[in-house]
Amino acid sequence: MTVLTAAGGTVEAASSLPAALPSSSRRAPLVVAAVVPAVVGLLFLNADLLLGPHPAFLPAFLTLVLACDLLTAVLLVEQYRAGGGPRVLALSAAYVWSAAIVVPHALVFGGLFTPTGLLGASPSSAPWLWAAWHTGLPVLIGLALAPWPAGLEARLGSLEHRGRRLLLTHGTVLAAAVGNTALVTAGADRIPTIIVDGDYTVLTERFGPWIVALCLLSLGAALVGVLGRRDAQGIEAWAIVAVVATTGDATLTLFSESRFTVGWYGARALALTAATVVLLAMLREVTALHRQVLRDSVRLETTNRQLLDAQNLREHMVAVVTHDMRTPLTGLQGYLELLSEAGGDLGEERQATMIDRSRMLTRRLTLMTEDMLAVATTDRRVVALEPAPLLLAAELQACAEVFPDLDLRLECEPGIRVQADPLRLQQVLVNLVGNAQAYGAEPVVLAARSLPGLPAAPGPALVELAVSDAGAGVPAGFVPRLFESYTRAEGTGRRGSGLGLSVVRELVEAHGGRVSYDAAANAFRVVLPAPADLSLVEPVAADPVA
């Protein structure tokens, strides 16, 4: 499932259902399934080698098989309840059958709990339950994996009545196991005797070929089903290994000479393989899904953080532009009102100056809208700069014209120049002067001076701009947060966006400069680079500000 994010990207979400089995995932279980017959053949070479009895082996073996069968059945049931297909339900029924038969098989096994077994067992009860175990498990797995009639899987896979299907399927299997147990114990006189004094030749010769044939038939059906379906799940291919192991177990048990031989112990090992292989495959899938969930959670967390950062950036830019638009809009409105009311009385030179200032303010508004567009379409703010050598006296005079009612005093060294974007520089100056007007006291002083450069450099390397006022200054406790966004000093009686000084910092740093607050002088100081080659700057007759 793919989710489109607000940033225009996508996040892959893990599906709640198992993924289809790729060809590479089929190879491993099929290779294992091919190796099992080779192992059975090797065991056959020494099948009659007597290893001797071990009293604790059978109880431990049957307990381990029962535990693995139950765990496998529970995990398959939970997968079915979580949305798995009907084949998962059928596969769980196979392991419910195995667990349900193992219990009475252990109870009636002579010498395990009592010399003759429990439940009124006869000598043939344990072999008959073993036969039911080793035919029922592969047959049910074969039915679960075999090709089904068209539409059956879709009908059985509907989300309706899942609980009812689960109860019906497992109830039928348990009832069959109970009926089989009753038949071989209470009804033992109605079924053939297949073991006499420890000799199970009747089982081997009369029923053995049918048991092996049923296993092979189930194996063939499972192979055809899994290899023919593109939507086969990983555990289905490993279930084939369980059928192969059960077939090998039945073959070794039936045709070994006696108990406690290499063939007999090898058959028990194959039975344990059949009980554990699907469980291990499911645990492997759960581990892989857990890793995938962790990776997805990290990816989603990163994406969410990026989205939050992008959202915060957009909100920040909207607030910045709203804050900074007020000054040029006010200036434009004033120029338009003067031009409209005074008209030709202003004189051509004055009108031309107002028109030039209006164009500059319009350009500033255009830059702000471009910034908003850039932030809306990218995840980073890129400040557009067009630096040029600027005569600072003229820039200070242009800033002063924005504050006609403010007692603003300009101090500038003659001929001093700065390498900066003219519109961005005005944005810095207007913010600093406006901050002094709002929070300080008149007069406000806007000064510029050159800073000494390196000895080898021809001319000044840096220039300093300072804005000071006659007010009380910034509270000492607030100075560390002065240039943070959305912060305002308490107790000033003024309300603002808390963005002006953060805008100044961003623009100054974009120019390669720095900004600071001098508490002793109650002055904001901005240091910017001077033009690298003053010979390229055209001389000016005189500065507007002395």
Side-chain angles (χ1 to χ4, degrees):
M1 179 173 63
T2 302
V3 180
L4 183 64
T5 68
T10 59
V11 177
E12 295 296 330
S15 173
S16 60
L17 299 179
L21 183 65
S23 59
S24 59
S25 299
R26 301 172 193 262
R27 192 174 301 120
L30 293 180
V31 168
V32 174
V35 169
V36 172
V39 174
V40 174
L42 291 175
L43 291 173
F44 254 117
L45 296 178
N46 299 288
D48 57 349
L49 180 61
L50 186 64
L51 297 179
H54 297 277
F57 175 78
L58 268 178
F61 160 72
L62 292 173
T63 301
L64 190 55
V65 169
L66 175 62
C68 292
D69 284 343
L70 288 175
L71 281 174
T72 304
V74 168
L75 288 177
L76 288 168
V77 166
E78 289 304 313
Q79 183 172 319
Y80 174 71
R81 293 178 60 191
R87 293 182 185 275
V88 175
L89 175 61
L91 198 57
S92 71
Y95 282 91
V96 169
W97 169 265
S98 179
I101 289 295
V102 165
V103 173
H105 174 67
L107 293 176
V108 303
F109 201 94
L112 198 59
F113 291 100
T114 63
T116 59
L118 300 174
L119 304 180
S122 69
S124 294
S125 296
W128 273 120
L129 288 173
W130 175 90
W133 174 16
H134 286 72
T135 54
L137 178 63
V139 166
L140 288 174
I141 292 178
L143 290 174
L145 305 183
W148 290 4
L152 177 62
E153 189 167 358
R155 289 196 299 273
L156 295 179
S158 65
L159 297 179
E160 296 180 358
H161 311 304
R162 279 186 167 251
R164 187 181 303 174
R165 290 194 202 101
L166 186 62
L167 291 175
L168 179 62
T169 301
H170 289 176
T172 302
V173 169
L174 291 173
V178 171
N180 194 282
T181 302
L183 179 63
V184 301
T185 52
D189 55 340
R190 298 188 180 92
I191 57 176
T193 300
I194 55 176
I195 185 170
V196 179
D197 297 330
D199 181 7
Y200 47 92
T201 302
V202 176
L203 173 63
T204 300
E205 295 181 352
R206 184 174 174 184
F207 298 100
W210 291 102
I211 293 173
V212 174
L214 276 174
C215 290
L216 292 174
L217 183 63
S218 301
L219 175 61
L223 281 170
V224 171
V226 170
L227 295 179
R229 287 198 321 277
R230 292 179 176 235
D231 61 343
Q233 300 168 9
I235 58 173
E236 295 181 15
W238 286 105
I240 292 176
V241 178
V243 178
V244 175
T246 302
T247 305
D249 172 16
T251 304
L252 282 172
T253 301
L254 289 169
F255 299 104
S256 295
E257 293 295 329
S258 61
R259 292 182 182 178
F260 312 120
T261 61
V262 168
W264 188 85
Y265 281 111
R268 306 287 89 75
L270 289 170
L272 191 57
T273 300
T276 58
V277 64
V278 172
L279 175 62
L280 293 176
M282 294 183 71
L283 292 177
R284 181 175 176 272
E285 279 192 2
V286 169
T287 303
L289 286 173
H290 179 66
R291 284 197 296 266
Q292 183 64 41
V293 167
L294 288 179
R295 286 194 295 267
D296 288 344
S297 66
V298 171
R299 197 158 52 235
L300 286 172
E301 183 179 353
T302 302
T303 302
N304 287 337
R305 187 164 55 249
Q306 291 172 348
L307 289 173
L308 286 174
D309 290 344
Q311 181 64 26
N312 290 335
L313 181 58
R314 286 163 176 76
E315 292 177 355
H316 171 70
M317 285 302 300
V318 169
V320 167
V321 172
T322 303
H323 173 272
D324 283 355
M325 274 184 174
R326 278 181 271 177
T327 299
L329 285 173
T330 301
L332 277 174
Q333 183 179 1
Y335 287 139
L336 290 173
E337 287 177 356
L338 283 174
L339 290 170
S340 174
E341 293 173 1
D345 296 339
L346 293 174
E348 293 183 1
E349 184 177 354
R350 185 61 174 166
Q351 288 184 15
T353 301
M354 287 187 177
I355 292 173
D356 288 340
R357 297 303 180 195
S358 298
R359 286 172 179 166
M360 183 193 72
L361 294 174
T362 304
R363 174 60 178 157
R364 287 177 60 187
L365 290 171
T366 302
L367 278 175
M368 293 176 191
T369 57
E370 288 176 355
D371 281 349
M372 290 190 68
L373 179 61
V375 171
T377 55
T378 63
D379 289 334
R380 295 182 58 194
R381 178 179 178 180
V382 180
V383 178
L385 295 178
E386 296 181 5
L390 303 176
L391 189 65
L392 263 178
E395 297 301 322
L396 269 56
Q397 186 65 42
C399 174
E401 292 181 6
V402 179
F403 302 92
D405 300 325
L406 177 66
D407 184 3
L408 177 60
R409 303 176 184 181
L410 305 180
E411 298 177 2
C412 183
E413 296 179 4
I416 184 173
R417 290 172 172 83
V418 66
Q419 185 75 11
D421 184 303
L423 297 177
R424 299 302 190 181
L425 180 60
Q426 284 300 312
Q427 206 170 343
V428 169
L429 295 176
V430 168
N431 266 307
L432 290 176
V433 174
N435 186 76
Q437 183 184 33
Y439 297 99
E442 299 182 24
V444 177
V445 178
L446 175 56
R449 68 187 181 98
S450 61
L451 298 178
L454 298 175
L462 299 170
V463 296
E464 181 187 76
L465 302 168
V467 177
S468 61
D469 64 79
V474 178
F478 184 70
V479 170
R481 302 179 58 202
L482 197 55
F483 296 99
E484 295 180 6
S485 300
Y486 309 108
T487 57
R488 294 186 300 273
E490 299 295 334
T492 61
R494 301 278 185 172
R495 299 185 63 184
S497 64
L499 289 169
L501 294 178
S502 67
V503 171
V504 168
R505 182 196 61 192
E506 290 177 4
L507 294 177
V508 170
E509 290 179 353
H511 280 83
R514 63 181 184 273
V515 60
S516 61
Y517 175 69
D518 182 355
N522 185 24
F524 287 90
R525 301 190 184 278
V526 175
V527 177
L528 292 172
D533 190 351
L534 292 178
S535 63
L536 299 178
V537 181
E538 296 182 1
V540 178
D543 289 340
V545 180

